[in-house]
Amino acid sequence: MSLGDPLPSWNNNEAKKQIIEFVAAVTDPSDPDYVTPAQRIAVFDNDGTLWAEQPVYFQFIFAMDRLANLAKDDPAILSTPALQAAAKGDLDTVLQGGHDALIEVVNASHSGVTVDEFQADVAEWLDIARHPSTGLPYNQMTYQPMVELLSYLRDEGFKTFIVSGGGLHFMRVFAEDAYGIPPEQVLGTYGETTFDTTNGQPVIAKAPGIAFVDDKEGKPINIERTIGRRPIIAAGNSDGDFAMIEWTTAGDGRRLGILVHHTDAKREWAYDRESPVGKLVEGLEKGPEMGWVLVDMANDWSRIYTGAN
């Protein structure tokens, strides 16, 4: 059981009260809403929910940086305008190319290596890369209030999972250190992979192509397929998380949906309906009437990042 204030970076507003009251109810054997430990499953989106996502998903910044490094050894890899722009860090030009341009960059930067080699590159990048606006390492731009929530839930017998549109192999590199969530409890988008033998050793390699997109309706599908239990808590920040939260809260018994609303232009960014990253429309319109907790970052959090106040 948690001692003292389990969520010290949360202001004493309604959102914090609702979360603590829910956890108290479902973990108290004498409460009619009690849930056994085996059923205490909580799922969290990553980008925009557990760490920041502006000006673009951090994994895509990694993809552009890795592409630029690969091009130093093999300039021929930059075979299209989108790849050339990405290697220069010209995000605007890449985004103008739409979905096809994004896939080109991901395929070129995320394939042709073993999973182990790719994850070693991610770890090295996280050690040296810095966010262009905050100057912080990306893995210090996790949200301290959400890290506290994850720890609080685990103290109360919950099993916590990431269910994100981000890349599976990318997130598994830092999720355990950043959030206390081990690799086997990370669900994400994954590309094609191959099994082969290289120099007498069996290896799994990353190949071009997306095998599964863990976003929107894909999230509850992947939860059912991989976890095998409907969660009782689901948290997200965008309409890409709507289906996951909707499916979670539609189950029998007491359930909790949480939406992180980016309202803090001073300490972070303020965005929702018009943002190309983390767009939030359906959740704002339907979430409150469905009983979901809407977390106002500016008002509900006394601190934003783990790496800075």
Side-chain angles (χ1 to χ4, degrees):
M1 298 292 290
S2 298
L3 299 176
D5 185 352
L7 302 175
S9 296
W10 293 67
N11 293 324
N12 290 320
N13 296 334
E14 189 62 25
K16 178 177 180 175
K17 294 175 184 177
Q18 287 180 273
I19 292 169
I20 291 177
E21 194 277 330
F22 174 87
V23 173
V26 299
T27 57
D28 181 355
S30 66
D31 195 288
D33 292 319
Y34 176 72
V35 175
T36 62
Q39 296 174 302
R40 293 178 203 163
I41 302 295
V43 294
F44 291 77
D45 170 57
N46 183 51
D47 296 307
T49 302
L50 297 181
W51 76 353
E53 61 181 357
Q54 296 287 348
V56 71
Y57 303 121
F58 295 169
Q59 185 174 353
F60 196 76
I61 298 175
F62 161 77
M64 294 193 296
D65 287 350
R66 188 167 194 273
L67 186 62
N69 286 330
L70 292 172
K72 292 177 182 177
D73 295 328
D74 182 15
I77 195 175
L78 305 180
S79 57
T80 70
L83 296 177
Q84 294 162 11
K88 295 177 183 177
D90 184 357
L91 179 60
D92 290 341
T93 297
V94 176
L95 294 178
Q96 288 172 12
H99 180 266
D100 290 344
L102 297 176
I103 293 299
E104 281 184 12
V105 175
V106 170
N107 280 339
S109 60
H110 283 53
S111 63
V113 293
T114 68
V115 170
D116 289 343
E117 290 168 339
F118 175 82
Q119 293 188 314
D121 283 350
V122 174
E124 181 179 1
W125 180 80
L126 287 170
D127 282 341
I128 62 175
R130 298 294 182 269
H131 190 274
S133 298
T134 67
L136 290 171
Y138 290 96
N139 53 5
Q140 288 185 22
M141 290 181 67
T142 54
Y143 297 136
Q144 178 64 23
M146 297 303 284
V147 172
E148 292 171 1
L149 177 56
L150 290 168
S151 179
Y152 171 45
L153 292 176
R154 288 191 293 268
D155 286 347
E156 298 294 341
F158 280 81
K159 196 170 186 179
T160 55
F161 291 79
I162 290 175
V163 182
S164 173
L168 180 71
H169 295 136
F170 180 82
M171 294 185 293
R172 282 178 171 172
V173 174
F174 61 85
E176 191 157 26
D177 286 342
Y179 309 127
I181 297 177
E184 66 270 20
Q185 290 166 219
V186 176
L187 284 64
T189 296
Y190 53 89
E192 300 290 350
T193 51
T194 61
F195 179 86
D196 207 344
T197 302
T198 302
N199 298 324
Q201 295 296 319
V203 296
I204 296 176
K206 294 177 70 65
I210 304 297
F212 182 81
V213 177
D214 191 53
D215 195 28
K216 299 179 181 178
E217 291 78 10
K219 291 195 174 193
I221 289 172
N222 207 16
I223 292 169
E224 194 283 328
R225 175 190 296 157
T226 307
I227 300 175
R229 291 184 188 272
R230 190 187 301 225
I232 65 168
I233 297 177
N237 75 292
S238 75
D239 286 346
D241 306 311
F242 187 90
M244 175 176 75
I245 304 175
E246 180 184 37
W247 181 67
T248 295
T249 56
D252 295 334
R254 192 161 179 185
R255 308 278 169 149
L256 181 66
I258 300 172
L259 270 177
V260 176
H261 188 196
H262 292 263
T263 57
D264 199 328
K266 183 177 180 180
R267 295 181 298 174
E268 207 231 14
W269 291 272
Y271 61 96
D272 45 45
R273 297 175 183 275
E274 304 300 325
S275 177
V277 175
K279 186 174 184 178
L280 180 63
V281 178
E282 194 172 18
L284 286 177
E285 294 175 351
K286 299 180 181 179
E289 67 186 41
M290 299 171 78
W292 301 354
V293 175
L294 191 62
V295 177
D296 183 321
M297 289 179 67
N299 293 320
D300 290 332
W301 289 356
S302 63
R303 177 178 175 180
I304 301 295
Y305 302 125
T306 56
N309 290 329

